[in-house]
Amino acid sequence: MKNGEIMKTGIKIAMMSLLTFSLVGCNDFLDTTPHDSISDKVVWNDIHTATLYLNGFYPYIDRYGQFGSAQFQGNLTEGLTETFKYGSYVPGNKAGDSNNYVFTPETMSSTGNLLDAWTGGYERIRRINEFLESMRKHSTFSAEENAKLEAQARFFRAFVYFQLAKRHGGVILYTDMNLQKNKDRSSASETWDLIASDLKYAASVLPVRWDAANKERVTRGAAWAMLARTMLYAERWQDAKDAADSVFKLQVYSLTDKYEDAFKGGNSESILEYNYLVTGPNHTFDNDYVPYGDMDNDGGKGCPTQEMVESYQSKDGKTVDWSKWHGETTELPPYDQLEPRFAATVLYHGAQWKGHTMTNSVGGTYGQYMDYRSDTYPKGRTTTGYYLRKYLDESHTDFSVIKVSTQTWVELRLAEIYLIRAEANYRLGASGAALEDVNAVRQRPGVNLPALSGLSGNDLFKAIRQERKIELAYEGHLYWDMRRWKLADKEYNGYRVHGLKITPHQGAFKFEYVDCDLQDRKFLAKTYVFPIPYDELANNSAIEQYDAVSYTHLRAHETR
């Protein structure tokens, strides 16, 4: 089957995404009391109206993606790692918030945590449970129709509970509208059990492909893929491997011929995606991250670091020696030697962009350098000498007319499933199988790096880490990976990120290795488990705050 013929998961929702359904008002929908009104009964007499109700859950894919605001208030979590630097030092989303968190992580507390998803998550879970309870009470549809509606709703319930579990471990579990005011959190094991149960149910019911009218809905492949991801976080290695195997057994997805297409959606690799429209829903990713020259006084809010650039291997799979550029030199950096995923991800000095040659230098005309803290906001300038290319729309050239963006958000794609299975196999002691999956990603079309061989133990784990970092760059994984691996407190303490300050020099350019942080970054081990918000503690007498001191005993994972 040709790439263009592969059916995609996701859903185009314009105003439908804002509708729950017209027969129950917004105020009613926020009510925690299950409905038993005539309006509910009318809804469940009409499959179209019930489907509109269900469609209100699909935007959750967007909310927690890189284009949404629920993951980190719109900031990329990569700003909390060595791979990305926000250019502003004053508080604000896509400004100084990320810098504040890496320099003073103690500001994360029960009364203020931008990474928190507790309140919004439980609002969404309540809405899903209300949908399910209303359906069970009033639906007049066939068992098959009810099962498909339930499977989609439970997929989204698992999706939202996952957002809570990866932050808190065990959380309060609600599966119906019996909402106890005072209820303690369940164990981590029970939380992962519920997530697994919902996703397995979804996978057992949802079709491999929907008909043409519903082709962008959640599919069986999406349910298996999400199960694989969540079980990796749960450290249930066999479950993660089995779920990944189930994705491949469907024989529906394949790696794209070009890496730069893999994360754009609408192709053979996309398993779960969310599509946008100029008229809405839409997002502002271009407005936030385009380079200087694309628009006036905006863009360039965050940029890739030299550490990220140096993570890329050469085209023949070797480590590149950057020592010459850790001082001052007029020699052009070895960008042309780096493997193809670099140029598809990073806009570097000399790259071609929208018909221009990037000049990421002091006083540059298309791309321009700014020392960190030399101005309040970057206003399109880079503090690292680089710009993000991944996810930007090169065809978007007139921001005076259209300020919004419509790039598709791909929540799940096949390359991630390869890497999930690789890690699961590594944990299960199947080094050969793990290496095979790593090589499938390294040798994917358009990348063609040489195969790795003979790796086991920590060397194999390093190879898996490398592939996740490069292949899934800026897709929202690295920060959470470092947390679940319990490596953040070891590797994200006492370090700074760097860039190249590029200055015109005698008709050419001088490249100077610069400190882009001006102070050390920190990661506090106690933040492996985020605190329960104060409002929950104040209104729930049965729940207690996580013990930050003994966080290791509150791990959100278990090995099975």
Side-chain angles (χ1 to χ4, degrees):
M1 184 173 289
K2 296 179 181 178
N3 291 354
E5 297 173 341
I6 299 290
M7 197 161 295
K8 294 298 153 295
T9 305
I11 192 157
K12 288 180 181 175
I13 307 175
M15 293 308 294
M16 277 201 333
S17 69
L18 303 177
L19 291 171
T20 36
F21 49 96
S22 59
L23 299 175
V24 177
C26 293
N27 292 334
D28 293 328
F29 199 55
L30 294 175
D31 186 359
T32 60
T33 305
H35 292 291
D36 190 21
S37 62
I38 187 65
S39 59
D40 279 332
K41 295 177 182 178
V42 171
V43 167
W44 295 103
N45 279 319
D46 183 347
I47 190 65
H48 174 70
T49 308
T51 300
L52 285 180
Y53 187 173
L54 175 72
N55 285 351
F57 307 141
Y58 273 83
Y60 298 171
I61 302 170
D62 156 72
R63 301 294 187 270
Y64 295 101
Q66 296 293 71
F67 304 154
S69 60
Q71 170 91 315
F72 183 19
Q73 300 291 300
N75 305 291
L76 302 188
T77 53
E78 283 80 3
L80 305 175
T81 76
E82 81 282 13
T83 66
F84 204 66
K85 172 67 181 179
Y86 279 93
S88 176
Y89 61 91
V90 297
N93 293 337
K94 302 168 190 172
D97 286 343
S98 293
N99 291 319
N100 184 41
Y101 272 28
V102 295
F103 297 144
T104 55
E106 55 271 16
T107 57
M108 296 183 193
S109 70
S110 62
T111 56
N113 184 357
L114 297 178
L115 286 154
D116 178 61
W118 189 279
T119 302
Y122 278 108
E123 287 177 358
R124 292 170 181 129
I125 288 165
R126 185 181 68 239
R127 290 171 183 171
I128 294 168
N129 286 339
E130 187 172 42
F131 171 90
L132 291 169
E133 186 148 323
S134 179
M135 181 190 74
R136 290 165 187 151
K137 283 184 177 180
H138 302 299
S139 177
T140 60
F141 311 142
S142 68
E144 181 181 1
E145 288 174 317
N146 284 336
K148 285 184 177 180
L149 293 170
E150 180 179 352
Q152 292 173 80
R154 289 179 65 177
F155 174 92
F156 287 110
R157 185 169 69 184
F159 180 70
V160 178
Y161 267 123
F162 170 61
Q163 306 303 327
L164 296 171
K166 74 177 185 179
R167 290 165 168 81
H168 302 282
V171 296
I172 304 172
L173 300 180
Y174 297 106
T175 57
D176 54 36
M177 292 305 294
N178 181 24
L179 302 179
Q180 299 171 236
K181 181 179 179 181
N182 299 312
K183 185 176 183 179
D184 199 0
R185 60 181 183 271
S186 296
S187 68
S189 179
E190 291 167 330
T191 302
W192 292 116
D193 283 347
L194 175 59
I195 291 169
S197 175
D198 277 351
L199 291 172
K200 286 178 181 178
Y201 176 80
S204 72
V205 171
L206 293 171
V208 176
R209 298 182 178 90
W210 289 83
D211 59 27
N214 294 285
K215 66 178 182 178
E216 294 174 320
R217 294 191 173 278
V218 175
T219 61
R220 186 178 305 170
W224 285 126
M226 187 59 67
L227 181 62
R229 179 192 284 178
T230 59
M231 293 302 96
L232 198 68
Y233 276 74
E235 294 187 2
R236 299 181 179 185
W237 312 123
Q238 189 63 52
D239 290 343
K241 176 191 177 301
D242 291 346
D245 284 341
S246 295
V247 175
F248 289 105
K249 287 175 183 176
L250 296 175
Q251 297 184 338
V252 171
Y253 313 102
S254 61
L255 297 176
T256 56
D257 291 336
K258 294 181 179 179
Y259 172 73
E260 55 265 36
D261 293 335
F263 44 85
K264 293 180 180 178
N267 56 48
S268 65
E269 188 162 339
S270 176
I271 300 173
L272 179 66
E273 65 183 48
Y274 186 86
N275 297 285
Y276 301 85
L277 300 168
V278 171
T279 54
N282 47 52
H283 56 87
T284 62
F285 198 84
D286 289 281
N287 194 85
D288 295 327
Y289 297 106
V290 291
Y292 182 90
D294 266 14
M295 61 189 309
D296 296 330
N297 296 318
D298 210 349
K301 293 178 179 177
C303 300
T305 62
Q306 186 65 26
E307 280 74 12
M308 182 61 188
V309 173
E310 292 184 17
S311 297
Y312 287 92
Q313 296 177 340
S314 64
K315 293 173 183 175
D316 57 2
K318 296 179 180 178
T319 299
V320 177
D321 181 6
W322 283 90
S323 58
K324 185 180 297 185
W325 291 272
H326 284 193
E328 284 188 20
T329 181
T330 57
E331 187 171 335
L332 188 68
Y335 300 134
D336 60 347
Q337 298 178 26
L338 302 181
E339 57 127 313
R341 290 178 290 189
F342 164 71
T345 304
V346 179
L347 278 172
Y348 56 93
H349 180 76
Q352 296 300 304
W353 177 250
K354 297 184 180 179
H356 300 273
T357 298
M358 295 299 300
T359 54
N360 300 350
S361 59
V362 175
T365 56
Y366 217 93
Q368 188 174 113
Y369 177 83
M370 179 193 86
D371 286 319
Y372 178 58
R373 294 189 73 94
S374 66
D375 199 351
T376 307
Y377 296 103
K379 302 172 186 175
R381 294 165 292 181
T382 170
T383 56
T384 67
Y386 302 99
Y387 291 95
L388 189 62
R389 182 172 198 152
K390 192 171 187 176
Y391 290 129
L392 293 182
D393 181 2
E394 193 166 2
S395 68
H396 193 169
T397 58
D398 192 347
F399 289 91
S400 64
V401 176
I402 301 177
K403 296 184 182 297
V404 297
S405 300
T406 59
Q407 294 94 295
T408 297
W409 168 245
V410 178
E411 177 65 35
L412 286 160
R413 61 186 182 92
L414 191 63
E416 182 190 350
I417 309 307
Y418 273 111
L419 295 174
I420 288 172
R421 191 169 68 176
E423 185 175 345
N425 274 320
Y426 160 70
R427 303 290 186 180
L428 293 167
S431 297
L435 196 55
E436 196 172 306
D437 281 336
V438 170
N439 284 330
V441 175
R442 287 174 60 83
Q443 297 185 292
R444 60 173 298 143
V447 175
N448 298 317
L449 285 171
L452 301 174
S453 62
L455 298 183
S456 61
N458 197 48
D459 289 336
L460 176 55
F461 180 54
K462 286 181 179 178
I464 293 169
R465 285 184 60 184
Q466 167 72 8
E467 288 310 308
R468 285 188 67 88
K469 183 177 184 179
I470 299 301
E471 175 69 26
L472 305 178
Y474 305 112
E475 296 184 28
H477 296 285
L478 181 60
Y479 173 71
W480 302 104
D481 282 346
M482 293 296 285
R483 288 170 55 86
R484 66 183 178 84
W485 291 329
K486 295 298 181 286
L487 291 175
D489 65 313
K490 301 173 181 65
E491 298 187 17
Y492 286 170
N493 264 313
Y495 78 103
R496 302 182 184 190
V497 301
H498 298 82
L500 290 184
K501 181 176 183 178
I502 307 168
T503 309
H505 178 76
Q506 298 179 354
F509 293 94
K510 178 178 69 175
F511 300 87
E512 177 186 357
Y513 190 66
V514 291
D515 175 357
C516 297
D517 277 339
L518 307 181
Q519 66 184 103
D520 287 350
R521 295 186 175 205
K522 295 187 294 183
F523 183 94
L524 300 181
K526 69 177 184 179
T527 62
Y528 276 130
V529 177
F530 288 145
I532 297 169
Y534 172 79
D535 286 348
E536 182 68 41
L537 296 171
N539 292 292
N540 183 348
S541 62
I543 198 168
E544 294 182 2
Q545 186 58 273
Y546 292 108
D547 182 357
V549 176
S550 58
Y551 76 93
T552 53
H553 301 296
L554 294 167
R555 293 184 63 184
H557 319 300
E558 64 174 15
T559 302
R560 286 190 173 184

